[in-house]
Amino acid sequence: MSATPSGPGPSRTRSWWGWGHVDAHPDDAECLALGALLPGTLARPLPIPRVSDLAVGRPAVAPPPSLAHLVNADPDVRAAHAMGKAYRDVVRALRGRPGRIPDLVARPTDDHEVVDLLDWAGERGVAVVPFGGGSSVVGGVEYRGDAHGAVLSLDLTSMDRVLEIDTVSRSARIQAGALGPVLEGQLRPHGLTLRHFPQSFEFSTLGGWLATRAGGHYATGRTHIDDFVQSMNVVTPAGVSASWRLPASGAGPSPDRLFLGSEGTLGVITEAWMRLQERPRHKASTSVAFADFHRALDAVRAVAQSDLAPANCRLLDPGEALLSGASRDGSAVLVLGFESATAPVDDRLAAALDMAHAHGGRGGTTTADRASRPDSAVGAWRSAFLRMPYLRDGLARMGAVVETFETAATWDRIPALIDAVRTEVGAAAVKATGHPATVNCRLTHVYPDGAAPYFTVAVAGRPGEEIEVWDDIKAVAGDVLHRHGATITHHHAVGRDHRPSYDRQRPEPFATVLRAAKEALDPHHILNPGVLID
């Protein structure tokens, strides 16, 4: 069955320097209010940066006439493709130091045009950086260095259609440039959903999710994008890799696994067959408060190791609960949610509540009173979850260092890992700035054998040296994670910012294979240089 794109929604302007939409950014008054929460921040917010204040030079290369219609050299477009949306990217823009701005931005409309662009770039030695939706928070969509004379940012958002839907097998062939809302808008009339909702959902693409092995919003079950892939189409400088569409296969190493998480270094993902689900019709959620965070960890582990499979099982430590408005009495808060397309979920929610109460949790609404008394903590958390990146940018304008990092480890290591991060990273933040610091934690994803803690660090920075402060703090965080056998990233990818820790985590024989694959697939070394491997 063919699918047709949904109609265009209301037009909003995306920020070239910060997160999301321009009209959602905190104004100066809100920035000042945010800054008052962190002692030592600036007296007034830094001005919103303008592209006209940047030194955007002339492109170092021109496309051939046959490709000129696909390429844009407008300074505003090029600046918007110079960086991702990490804290350090926001600060670089605020300070007028965005780094290497791409010479050209290309927007192909089909696979053949991607092939032609890569062929031209290979012949001219032009670095090609696949851009996705540009929401990378690890330096994954920019060029650093001077080994290439010119840089092309490859933006696939013109390739955004759901091309086919197989309702029998419940799957769809989708172009990689489809942003989250565009993709779901085309599936909705068929009663289907991909059910992959990362925090960057509005501003990231299917291809970006695949290239970074993104994690979705759901806390258990199928949440990493890997779990949804039937097959992939990848354009490499050495040829096109098109895997068979299968429910499963034992035929040797999976070709899709080579490109999942390859971050644009081995090829450009142009489309994929993805497993779909029926849209949920039954939902229930509630929150449980805990006076003891470690007992809350035990409760989450019990739920994760049951067969209840909650859609949401987010544990907020007291600081995170206070920040989101989910709790104001120093409690940790567990947000529980269940959903199903086929059957009521109230019994599963009740069973999870019983487990939480057995570990010292209190509160939680029942089926009978949920409609008349909605859970305010759940609503507060949802609102804060979507608003938080905008608030980070507002604090950045006040000279604060506000950034996150996430990891995953087995349950036996989780308590000590969280305690060590809070202590050592907090001390590093104070040492680097001389100001009091906050280190909050929440669990974003839970598994029977472990969990994914997500940390937020907030401290007033040194004016003009905010990036250096964050780099010092991040180095300490990386050492703590490595010492506890925790991954450098659970779902944010490696990019350039996580390279030192990724090199330590990756087995050397696998590194040898990855370098050989890079040499074979990208002989001119043009694809996203510096990501994953040198």
Side-chain angles (χ1 to χ4, degrees):
M1 177 189 299
S2 296
T4 56
S6 60
S11 177
R12 300 175 71 185
T13 302
R14 280 194 65 180
S15 171
W16 75 268
W17 65 272
W19 185 263
H21 295 117
V22 169
D23 60 12
H25 283 183
D27 59 21
D28 286 2
E30 190 174 0
C31 289
L32 286 168
L34 289 168
L37 302 175
L38 282 179
T41 52
L42 301 176
R44 59 180 181 272
L46 295 169
I48 292 174
R50 300 178 301 181
V51 174
S52 58
D53 294 332
L54 304 178
V56 184
R58 293 176 59 85
V61 67
S66 61
L67 298 176
H69 65 291
L70 302 175
V71 172
N72 192 322
D74 182 83
D76 288 350
V77 174
R78 292 165 58 195
H81 286 75
M83 302 176 298
K85 302 303 181 186
Y87 167 78
R88 66 190 334 272
D89 301 329
V90 170
V91 172
R92 286 156 62 197
L94 288 169
R95 295 294 185 182
R97 304 193 299 264
R100 177 76 174 266
I101 294 175
D103 297 272
L104 301 169
V105 176
R107 287 193 171 96
T109 61
D110 60 33
D111 284 27
H112 298 294
E113 291 174 349
V114 175
V115 170
D116 292 342
L117 286 163
L118 293 188
D119 285 347
W120 166 72
E123 292 169 0
R124 294 295 303 271
V126 175
V128 177
V129 180
F131 190 71
S135 61
S136 170
V137 293
V138 291
V141 294
E142 66 178 273
Y143 180 86
R144 297 179 191 171
D146 54 10
H148 295 78
V151 180
L152 174 73
S153 178
L154 190 62
D155 185 328
L156 264 63
T157 52
S158 293
M159 299 172 61
D160 64 352
R161 295 189 61 207
V162 175
L163 299 172
E164 296 180 61
I165 295 179
D166 175 357
T167 56
V168 175
S169 306
R170 214 164 59 182
S171 53
R173 182 164 69 98
I174 307 170
Q175 289 182 306
L179 292 161
V182 174
L183 185 160
E184 286 292 333
Q186 295 176 70
L187 297 177
R188 188 173 292 106
H190 303 274
L192 297 171
T193 176
L194 181 59
R195 196 184 177 269
H196 185 78
F197 299 108
Q199 189 176 32
S200 62
F201 173 73
E202 286 184 273
F203 312 110
S204 53
T205 64
L206 173 63
W209 302 340
L210 296 168
T212 60
R213 296 184 66 196
H217 166 70
Y218 293 93
T220 66
R222 292 195 298 178
T223 187
H224 265 80
I225 197 67
D226 314 32
D227 302 323
F228 299 96
V229 177
Q230 275 189 337
S231 68
M232 289 167 52
N233 200 77
V234 186
V235 175
T236 82
V240 177
S241 173
S243 60
W244 284 23
R245 180 186 166 214
L246 297 166
S249 174
S254 166
D256 294 334
R257 290 285 173 179
L258 177 64
F259 296 105
L260 284 167
S262 62
E263 301 192 36
T265 62
L266 303 179
V268 179
I269 300 167
T270 58
E271 65 177 57
W273 274 96
M274 304 297 295
R275 299 181 178 95
L276 306 178
Q277 301 176 57
E278 292 183 42
R279 301 184 69 80
R281 294 191 293 273
H282 305 274
K283 295 183 179 182
S285 60
T286 193
S287 65
V288 188
F290 289 84
D292 185 325
F293 181 72
H294 284 271
R295 291 200 70 189
L297 287 174
D298 291 338
V300 172
R301 177 167 57 85
V303 173
Q305 292 177 344
S306 71
D307 60 355
L308 296 174
N312 200 356
C313 189
R314 303 249 173 164
L315 177 62
L316 318 178
D317 76 359
E320 191 77 11
L322 178 64
L323 185 66
S324 67
S327 171
R328 301 189 184 279
D329 64 359
S331 297
V333 173
L334 172 59
V335 179
L336 284 168
F338 290 84
E339 64 176 42
S340 171
T342 57
V345 294
D346 301 292
D347 288 348
R348 288 158 60 196
L349 177 61
L353 271 176
D354 287 344
M355 289 183 182
H357 292 157
H359 288 85
R362 63 185 188 276
T365 55
T366 65
T367 304
D369 62 10
R370 194 162 43 245
S372 61
R373 213 160 37 88
D375 194 308
S376 60
V378 174
W381 172 79
R382 285 175 179 157
S383 298
F385 178 75
L386 297 174
R387 185 65 179 154
M388 197 57 65
Y390 292 102
L391 301 182
R392 178 207 64 178
D393 291 358
L395 281 165
R397 289 186 61 200
M398 295 302 299
V401 176
V402 183
E403 186 57 301
T404 63
F405 61 96
E406 31 73 63
T407 183
T410 51
W411 280 116
D412 60 312
R413 300 171 182 172
I414 287 291
L417 168 66
I418 293 174
D419 289 347
V421 168
R422 284 175 176 156
T423 301
E424 297 181 43
V425 173
V430 172
K431 180 180 178 181
T433 65
H435 297 295
T438 297
V439 181
N440 293 334
C441 175
R442 67 181 185 264
L443 299 187
T444 62
H445 302 75
V446 295
Y447 306 91
D449 55 344
Y454 192 110
F455 298 95
T456 300
V457 182
V459 64
R462 298 193 305 262
E465 298 181 349
E466 296 90 350
I467 293 175
E468 290 78 6
V469 168
W470 171 244
D471 287 345
D472 289 345
I473 296 171
K474 183 175 175 59
V476 173
D479 287 343
V480 174
L481 299 184
H482 183 72
R483 192 170 71 246
H484 286 263
T487 181
I488 188 55
T489 177
H490 172 263
H491 58 267
H492 279 170
V494 174
R496 291 159 181 83
D497 295 345
H498 285 162
R499 266 297 304 280
S501 293
Y502 174 65
D503 287 349
R504 290 196 291 180
Q505 178 178 330
R506 176 184 59 196
E508 187 53 34
F510 178 75
T512 300
V513 172
L514 188 57
R515 294 186 195 104
K518 173 74 170 176
E519 189 69 31
L521 295 172
D522 182 20
H524 299 294
H525 300 181
I526 60 170
L527 287 174
N528 220 2
V531 172
L532 298 183
I533 52 179
D534 295 324

